[in-house]
Amino acid sequence: MTGLEDRYRVLFAWYPAEHRARHEEEMIAVLLASARPGQTRPGLRDAADLLLGAVRIRLRHAFGPGSAPLWRDALNAAAVVAPLSLLVTGLGSAAGLLASASGLPPSYTVVQLAFLLPQALIVVLALRGPRWGAAACAWLWAVAETTVSVWAILDAIASLGPDTYSVQPLTAGMAAERAGPLVFSALLLTAAPDPASGARSIGHRTLLRWSVATVTALGAVSVLSLLTAPGLGLTGLTLPLLAAMACGVASRHAAGRRGIALLAPLLLFVTGHRLADPLSSGRPFVLAVEAMLLALAFVLARRGFRPYGSGTVSSPDRLA
């Protein structure tokens, strides 16, 4: 195998596997036959044509008529994952807060848990009930929860004063950050034709396993960070790491990759502040290290490591 052939095969690696299996050898033979004597690198025009061809074919696979069933499956799965992720992150945050704040009155615990009940109802309806019931509850809760949050901030400002350290001024960005995930979850539930089938495609045991692992990790890391090293920011990094693992597992499958694309806005809502903190504080090195950790978690999960799955890209497990 010549150096020129090796470089052509590197370019062909951008094509889908089934396309390479059918056409790679023939196309490489044609390219090698038309090469100049002594040529060791692909010409700029040939390289550009190959890369553009790979982009066109992948776009055709992703958005062509044959991909409609995959997008439908991805939408159904995303419509379940979105409200479930909001419930799970809420449970994880509440578990860590309640475990580390023993001096709080019991009424505070009741309020924290009560705020999770509507989200739990939405998840149950998405899994078992009629689709319209889950969507309607999601929209009602998005409006109600945002209204209560805005009222609580305004009441705190009125009671404590706008200059109090513990009170942040209410801005449109804060309201959007609070309402965004809830509204996006409601949109997915409204658009999905059958969210329950999305849960079945993932597997109810898989959803339960990831939910328990996420709640346990968030609660444990929150308490550990508070008791041992509050300055490390472990709590803020745990959720992005778990999200990177989940995306790595889902990316093994065509429907899973489309599901990641559909859930991208929710991922930015939930974990985007983690990226903004190092940038705003002038710590690009911290951001680079965290990005490498997230990439490593994604790659390891995609390749299939226990306990998050034993499949590989060429021989994957189920959707998750």
Side-chain angles (χ1 to χ4, degrees), residues 34 38 53 65 88 93 99 117 247 303:
S34 61
V88 166
S93 300
L117 292 178
C247 289
R303 290 182 178 274

Side-chain angles (χ1 to χ4, degrees), residues 262-280:
L262 291 174
L263 290 170
L266 182 61
L267 292 172
L268 290 176
F269 273 120
V270 174
T271 64
H273 66 89
R274 185 66 192 177
L275 300 177
D277 289 344
L279 287 177
S280 61

Side-chain angles (χ1 to χ4, degrees), residues 213-226:
T214 301
V215 172
T216 303
L218 290 176
V221 171
S222 178
V223 174
L224 182 64
S225 178
L226 181 67

Side-chain angles (χ1 to χ4, degrees), residues 21-228:
R22 290 196 303 266
H23 304 292
E24 182 175 4
E25 298 302 328
E26 177 185 356
M27 294 182 68
I28 285 181
V30 171
L31 290 168
L32 291 176
S34 61
R36 300 184 307 274
Q39 182 178 349
T40 59
R41 296 180 179 277
L44 182 60
R45 182 173 181 179
D46 288 340
D49 287 342
L50 288 175
L51 292 176
L52 289 175
V55 171
R56 285 195 296 267
I57 290 175
R58 288 195 176 274
L59 288 176
R60 193 183 309 141
H61 284 189
F63 301 103
S67 67
L70 293 173
W71 280 108
R72 183 175 60 250
D73 293 343
L75 179 59
N76 287 329
V80 171
V81 170
L84 180 61
S85 65
L86 296 179
L87 174 62
V88 166
T89 53
L91 284 171
S93 300
L97 179 63
L98 297 176
S100 60
S102 57
L104 293 174
S107 59
Y108 185 81
T109 303
V110 174
V111 170
Q112 289 293 315
L113 295 177
F115 258 71
L116 297 175
L117 292 178
Q119 193 64 43
L121 176 62
I122 294 169
V123 172
V124 171
L125 290 176
L127 293 173
R128 301 292 184 184
R131 178 182 65 85
W132 58 265
C137 286
W139 282 112
L140 289 173
W141 180 234
V143 174
E145 206 273 351
T146 304
T147 302
V148 170
S149 298
V150 171
W151 173 84
I153 294 175
L154 293 176
D155 182 65
I157 293 175
S159 301
L160 303 176
D163 297 327
T164 304
Y165 178 76
S166 60
V167 177
Q168 297 180 348
L170 180 63
T171 63
M174 290 177 58
E177 182 181 359
R178 190 71 182 180
L182 298 171
V183 170
F184 184 73
S185 175
L187 285 172
L188 289 176
L189 286 168
T190 303
D194 187 9
S197 68
R200 290 192 296 270
S201 68
I202 298 174
H204 292 91
R205 289 186 178 181
T206 299
L207 289 173
L208 179 60
R209 184 169 67 246
W210 277 91
S211 299
V212 172
T214 301
V215 172
T216 303
L218 290 176
V221 171
S222 178
V223 174
L224 182 64
S225 178
L226 181 67
L227 296 178
T228 59

